[in-house]
Amino acid sequence: MAEQDEIKVNVKNLNFYYGNYHLLKNINLYFKKNSVCTLLGPSGCGKSTFLRTLNRMNDYTEGAKLTGEVLIDGKNIYDKSVDVVELRRNIGMVFQSPNPFPKSIFDNIAFGLKIHGIKNREFIAERVEKCLRYAGLYDEVKDKLHKSAFSLSGGQQQRLCIARAIATNPSILLMDEPTAYLDPASASIILDLITTFKKYYTIIIVSHNIQQAGRISDYSGFFLDGELIEFDEAGNFFTRPKDKRTENFITSRY
Amino acid sequence: MAELANIKKDDDPMPVFPINRGYIKRKKFYNGIAVFLAVMAFIIGAFPVFHIIYKAVALGHEYLNWRFISTLPTGFPIGAQGGILNAIIGDVYLVVIASIFAVPLGIGSGLYLSLFGKKRTNTFLRLLNELMIGIPSVVWGIVGFYVFSTNAGLGFHFGFSALAGGLTLGFIMTPIIALLTEQAINRIPSGYIEGALAMGATKWQATKSVIIKAALGGIFTGILLGIMNIIGQTAPLLFTNYYNTGMPTGITGPGGAVGDLAMLIFIYIHEPSKILHVKAEAASVVLLCFIFAIDLGLRLINYLTRKFL
Ligand SMILES: Nc1ncnc2c1ncn2[C@@H]1O[C@H](COP(=O)(O)OP(=O)(O)OP(=O)(O)O)[C@@H](O)[C@H]1O
Ligand SMILES: [Mg+2]
């Protein structure tokens, strides 16, 4: 089945609970290879939580409970046999608030390579520079690569975290509001990065910026109170939404 | 007395509220009282410390010289002549032995409690750890005696020695380091750890390269508190090392016992000898300096590792 082959991530009957609080309700959707999907929805509707179910970051959240399946390349990542470390090596994640490591700018990006066992210094240096360039940060930091990452501004830290996430060639990239802290020019660079990298990755983005989402999306989904209200190709989603609530949201009537 | 600012129309989106001058004045007054009390508390707390230092220096100053800290005690009663080198060297032995044992064990336990263990078991282990901190040091002395010094117990036959004493002091140090390590790690923003795990780091990789570094300050504080705590102890040494007026010839068995500043002070004060009483005062000044030096040393190491790691 050609259709099936293209699906990278397939979410089936996903329910998620924080203790007794039933947050995500029976989510069904899929993400195709080499596509960009944006997830929209009002604050607090469960977008970040959903994103974190895709690389099992909720494993450490106290009281978190999950039912249903998340199939990546056809394999349920919540299967007992799945090695979480192995799984995450294949998935890059950019968190909602920038969280650089307490290390130098250089080492923040080199970290991912090092935990993959790469020791070749030249390769690492080259890769660090390349990632910083893609994230549009290189010119700003090239003279202080060995300074602490905390000396960067919020927006610079966010771009550093993006550079960090692409350094290890993940096949899936999860980005939680990657442009939230960025000025329009920097945001534009990140959007270009996303468009460039979808040739290689499956990219899933949470966004609050409908305009930006419209510009880069191949697919889009709308969450409301933990439910997936609508999921469709971006063309239909943004111009002819089927659900009234989606329409209200994208025309900012929420 | 509330003075009413001029309130505008009903549809004012943010009506100006009446300002209660009396309330603000009162709160400023309380603030003054709180500052006064804090300063008083500091003075009351600090006074005895400075007084003790002053007294000890005043009484013992004639011995505060290089000879005193660089020669062994001689004469009769022993110590009437010579210095306290045996005790200084002995403390180095004890602190080093205790630290070799307690630092890795304490940090390891702290890491386990904060990162690796199961929640249920951890609550229990944490309680146990706090209980261990509360155990009086004399009890540790008895435990150390049975475990390390006698031929009963677990089969260690260290006798009254630096090894038996140091390990017993290590018992006291370990839970303190564990507690401080755990607390330091719990204070680290969850984003660091999540960031590393999301990259596909194992827990140990995340710990090694991100967590320990961020928690280093707190871990050093734990080591420091541990050393401070054991260096003034006499009770645990009574049954495991006692005291040696000369240099040790080993760290176990006969000849393995070492001197110790706190024990020296304890013993000298109990001797009916004016000279020894004065020397005990001088030795307590040396002990204070010793603690101060360790404090500075560890702070320096902390600073340097932060800077160059
Ligand atoms: N660790 C937690 N424990 C309990 N409830 C949580 C936890 N994390 C999030 N929640 C709750 O789950 C709901 C969804 O949170 P989530 O972070 O997924 O929202 P979001 O859609 O990403 O919002 P935003 O756009 O503001 O980032 C919120 O109501 C929040 O209070
Ligand atoms: Mg969110």
Side-chain angles (χ1 to χ4, degrees):
Chain A
M1 287 189 286
E3 257 289 284
Q4 287 287 317
D5 287 346
E6 282 186 14
I7 291 176
K8 180 75 182 171
V9 184
N10 201 348
V11 178
K12 289 185 174 169
N13 305 323
L14 183 83
N15 284 280
F16 185 88
Y17 307 79
Y18 283 120
N20 291 328
Y21 175 39
H22 190 174
L23 176 59
L24 297 176
K25 295 161 199 130
N26 204 36
I27 308 289
N28 283 284
L29 80 170
Y30 57 87
F31 303 100
K32 287 198 173 169
K33 269 182 195 147
N34 308 330
S35 73
V36 175
C37 177
T38 50
L39 304 174
L40 305 169
S43 185
C45 68
K47 305 178 299 293
S48 296
T49 306
F50 173 73
L51 208 61
R52 291 162 60 93
T53 61
L54 303 180
N55 65 346
R56 292 187 52 175
M57 282 315 288
N58 290 320
D59 281 15
Y60 307 104
T61 309
E62 241 167 73
K65 205 180 83 201
L66 180 141
T67 62
E69 289 184 333
V70 176
L71 305 165
I72 294 184
D73 296 326
K75 192 163 170 38
N76 182 11
I77 63 169
Y78 286 92
D79 239 28
K80 280 232 157 46
S81 62
V82 168
D83 180 350
V84 188
V85 169
E86 225 29 74
L87 169 79
R88 292 194 187 126
R89 291 200 171 186
N90 204 20
I91 304 177
M93 184 165 208
V94 178
F95 289 81
Q96 183 161 9
S97 40
N99 59 344
F101 301 130
K103 292 170 172 291
S104 72
I105 295 165
F106 185 94
D107 285 338
N108 257 275
I109 299 173
F111 177 78
L113 301 168
K114 284 181 182 156
I115 63 172
H116 276 71
I118 292 164
K119 297 209 171 76
N120 184 336
R121 282 160 178 253
E122 264 169 54
F123 178 84
I124 293 177
E126 207 175 285
R127 178 60 67 100
V128 168
E129 179 179 336
K130 202 181 263 176
C131 293
L132 285 170
R133 281 193 193 282
Y134 270 120
L137 188 60
Y138 186 72
D139 290 334
E140 289 160 64
V141 301
K142 62 173 182 283
D143 299 323
K144 51 174 186 175
L145 288 177
H146 296 284
K147 288 253 164 65
S148 164
F150 295 146
S151 65
L152 298 176
S153 76
Q156 288 172 329
Q157 289 187 10
Q158 187 158 44
R159 281 175 287 158
L160 179 66
C161 291
I162 293 168
R164 183 174 82 180
I166 59 174
T168 52
N169 304 330
S171 68
I172 300 168
L173 198 54
L174 309 174
M175 307 173 103
D176 202 341
E177 294 187 51
T179 59
Y181 289 71
L182 303 183
D183 63 85
S186 305
S188 191
I189 292 175
I190 297 304
L191 298 185
D192 288 346
L193 173 149
I194 290 166
T195 322
T196 309
F197 275 81
K198 78 172 179 185
K199 281 204 253 348
Y200 315 103
Y201 302 161
T202 303
I203 304 180
I204 304 164
I205 303 169
V206 169
S207 177
H208 276 305
N209 189 320
I210 291 159
Q211 222 182 342
Q212 287 181 6
R215 191 173 134 194
I216 54 170
S217 304
D218 298 309
Y219 293 86
S220 214
F222 175 58
F223 281 82
L224 187 63
D225 291 334
E227 278 180 87
L228 182 64
I229 303 296
E230 181 155 357
F231 177 73
D232 206 342
E233 288 182 14
N236 294 333
F237 184 93
F238 288 103
T239 54
R240 295 178 292 278
K242 289 191 207 78
D243 197 291
K244 190 77 189 148
R245 290 167 291 181
T246 313
E247 190 185 332
N248 284 341
F249 184 79
I250 58 180
T251 53
S252 299
R253 257 172 276 165
Y254 259 92
Chain B
M1 273 191 293
E3 81 189 29
L4 231 65
N6 50 332
I7 290 180
K8 288 181 227 150
K9 298 168 250 128
D10 281 350
D11 61 351
D12 189 340
M14 196 71 79
V16 176
F17 51 79
I19 293 168
N20 188 339
R21 295 249 175 248
Y23 178 82
I24 294 171
K25 237 185 203 157
R26 226 162 35 241
K27 290 295 145 182
K28 282 185 176 162
F29 177 65
Y30 292 155
N31 182 53
I33 290 182
V35 170
F36 175 76
L37 288 177
V39 171
M40 283 310 290
F42 175 76
I43 290 172
I44 293 169
F47 178 75
V49 177
F50 287 116
H51 185 72
I52 288 168
I53 295 174
Y54 167 75
K55 269 285 194 210
V57 172
L59 290 170
H61 69 274
E62 58 184 299
Y63 291 112
L64 291 177
N65 53 40
W66 177 245
R67 241 180 66 84
F68 185 63
I69 58 172
S70 64
T71 56
L72 289 172
T74 53
F76 182 82
I78 187 102
Q81 272 145 40
I84 57 169
L85 182 64
N86 66 321
I88 294 173
I89 298 293
D91 270 337
V92 173
Y93 270 73
L94 292 171
V95 168
V96 168
I97 291 169
S99 302
I100 289 174
F101 173 74
V103 170
L105 202 64
I107 294 178
S109 313
L111 286 176
Y112 180 84
L113 280 177
S114 51
L115 297 171
F116 296 97
K118 289 253 181 323
K119 203 174 155 237
R120 221 24 107 58
T121 5
N122 275 4
T123 314
F124 173 72
L125 289 176
R126 203 169 290 126
L127 211 71
L128 199 72
N129 194 61
E130 278 161 22
L131 190 75
M132 278 172 69
I133 293 177
I135 292 178
S137 55
V138 64
V139 175
W140 283 122
I142 295 165
V143 172
F145 174 70
Y146 276 109
V147 174
F148 298 122
S149 297
T150 63
N151 291 342
L154 300 178
F156 299 109
H157 310 300
F158 299 155
F160 274 48
S161 64
L163 191 59
L167 291 177
T168 306
L169 293 175
F171 277 150
I172 298 176
M173 221 170 135
T174 304
I176 299 174
I177 297 176
L179 182 77
L180 273 279
T181 300
E182 192 208 348
Q183 289 184 345
I185 290 170
N186 289 344
R187 275 198 306 271
I188 299 175
S190 61
Y192 293 2
I193 301 166
E194 288 194 335
L197 293 176
M199 305 233 57
T202 63
K203 269 195 175 180
W204 177 238
Q205 280 175 321
T207 304
K208 206 171 54 172
S209 50
V210 181
I211 295 171
I212 292 207
K213 198 181 166 201
L216 213 57
I219 295 175
F220 269 111
T221 308
I223 296 174
L224 198 64
L225 278 180
I227 293 179
M228 303 281 175
N229 189 314
I230 61 164
I231 207 163
Q233 297 283 0
T234 51
L237 296 176
L238 286 174
F239 318 114
T240 54
N241 171 73
Y242 200 63
Y243 185 66
N244 185 348
T245 56
M247 290 296 215
T249 53
I251 56 170
T252 62
V258 293
D260 169 76
L261 281 167
M263 283 296 291
L264 178 142
I265 295 165
F266 176 77
I267 292 167
Y268 281 14
I269 289 290
H270 284 84
E271 290 286 335
S273 155
K274 185 80 186 114
I275 298 178
L276 290 191
H277 292 176
V278 175
K279 288 197 171 178
E281 299 289 350
S284 52
V285 176
V286 174
L287 181 57
L288 278 173
C289 294
F290 205 71
I291 291 174
F292 194 57
I294 291 171
D295 189 357
L296 283 184
L298 275 175
R299 275 169 199 275
L300 188 71
I301 295 173
N302 183 11
Y303 172 78
L304 293 177
T305 37
R306 261 158 197 272
K307 205 159 169 207
F308 296 110
L309 210 73

